[in-house]
Every structure is written in structure tokens, then in C-alpha cells.
Amino acid sequence: MSIDATDRRLIEATQAGLPLVAAPYAKIADDLGLDQVEVMERLTSMQDSGVIRRIAVAPNHYALGMTANGMTVWDVTDADAIRLGEQIGALDFVSHCYLRPRALPDWPYNLFAMVHGSSRDEVAAKRSEIRALLGEALRSDDILYSTKILKKTGLRLGKSKG
């Protein structure tokens, strides 16, 4: 998994987001002196090889009125954790869901799901939906509400020299 100088320039040009224009790939191609097809092929190739994970929208939930954001944490049976995590991650109100090791005895939770809502009551209702989905595999849970955005960016490459 290596990239050449053109791939690096392409990553640098897109790492802060795509241009907000009608034809973003054409704009990137023009800025870099490339053909639009080459830009799209290179991005696809880097995605296929794992150099980049995805090209996606990263909304600012606060700006969209979703100000009651809560990380729901769940202690579920290990045998069911992957299957249940996939089900929770597929819910339209969960922005990301992942497994983490427990830190016993203080932190029994192994499944995490970020839930967004316009009020804590809305988030609590969504949490109840998850609780029902988990059923008998659920042993305990909690929710940690966000107070501010700490990070909304991925890895940033430094500008290449030359």
C-alpha cells in the first residue's frame, strides 16, 4: 500500500473535504492539472487498496440542530457483541458503532453507539430502541452526553515539499 506523488497531492487536496461546487471532481482535477477520470480512478484505487477508508459527508450535528448527542455504552455478552453491533450500526439514528475492550472492574462496557437527537428525551427514546434490540444479551448500559465537539477531522497529511 504505497502512494505516489500524485496520490499524495490528491489526498492533500481532498483531506479537508470536497469543494462545494456542482462538479467537485472536475474542480479538483483542474486544480491539480489532472483529468477528472484520473482523479476518480485514483480515489477509487486508493479506497480499494485501503489507503483511504471512505469518501463521506461528515455533518456538524450541532449545526443541524442535533444538540443532544450521546455515546450509549453497553455491556453485552461477548458471544453476541459482533452480531448486535452490526444491527445497532445499521440503525439510521446511529452515526457510528464499535466494539472496545472492557476495563474491569470500573468499565464493563464493550459496545459503543453514538446517538444524535434534538433533545435528551429524543436520545433517550432512541436508547430505549437499542435496549429492546439487545434483549437478553444486555447486562448493563449508560449514556455519556456530549458537551462540545472535540474532533471532526481525520488524519491530515503535511504539504509535500517540491
Side-chain angles (χ1 to χ4, degrees), residues 36-91:
Q36 179 178 339
V37 172
E38 181 181 2
V39 165
M40 296 173 77
E41 287 174 350
R42 282 178 174 272
L43 288 170
T44 298
S45 176
M46 286 189 285
Q47 196 169 4
D48 290 347
S49 69
V51 170
I52 58 175
R53 276 189 299 206
R54 62 188 172 138
I55 299 171
V57 173
N60 179 333
H61 294 93
Y62 287 87
L64 296 172
M66 306 299 246
T67 57
N69 307 299
M71 178 61 74
T72 60
V73 294
W74 310 90
D75 175 15
V76 298
T77 55
D78 290 330
D80 297 312
I82 291 175
R83 175 183 57 82
L84 292 169
E86 289 172 349
Q87 290 176 18
I88 292 169
L91 296 171

Side-chain angles (χ1 to χ4, degrees), residues 24-156:
Y25 297 108
K27 169 82 169 109
I28 293 164
D30 186 55
D31 290 349
L32 297 178
L34 302 171
D35 178 81
Q36 179 178 339
V37 172
E38 181 181 2
V39 165
M40 296 173 77
E41 287 174 350
R42 282 178 174 272
L43 288 170
T44 298
S45 176
M46 286 189 285
Q47 196 169 4
D48 290 347
S49 69
V51 170
I52 58 175
R53 276 189 299 206
R54 62 188 172 138
I55 299 171
V57 173
N60 179 333
H61 294 93
Y62 287 87
L64 296 172
M66 306 299 246
T67 57
N69 307 299
M71 178 61 74
T72 60
V73 294
W74 310 90
D75 175 15
V76 298
T77 55
D78 290 330
D80 297 312
I82 291 175
R83 175 183 57 82
L84 292 169
E86 289 172 349
Q87 290 176 18
I88 292 169
L91 296 171
D92 64 357
F93 56 81
V94 172
S95 63
H96 49 281
C97 180
Y98 48 91
L99 295 172
R100 289 288 184 261
R102 294 177 176 87
L104 297 174
D106 300 321
W107 191 256
Y109 310 110
N110 60 338
L111 184 59
F112 296 64
M114 190 68 184
V115 176
H116 303 279
S118 58
S119 69
R120 287 191 176 199
D121 287 341
E122 182 183 350
V123 172
K126 292 173 178 179
R127 179 181 173 201
S128 292
E129 286 184 51
I130 295 172
R131 190 180 285 121
L133 187 149
L134 294 174
E136 292 183 15
L138 176 61
R139 297 186 286 219
S140 66
D141 67 285
D142 203 349
I143 189 164
L144 311 167
Y145 284 99
S146 301
T147 57
K148 62 183 175 178
I149 296 175
L150 299 176
K151 180 182 178 197
K152 283 301 277 189
T153 62
L155 172 69
R156 296 285 188 251

Side-chain angles (χ1 to χ4, degrees), residues 3 11-12 70 102 138:
I3 61 172
I11 292 169
E12 289 170 354
R102 294 177 176 87
L138 176 61

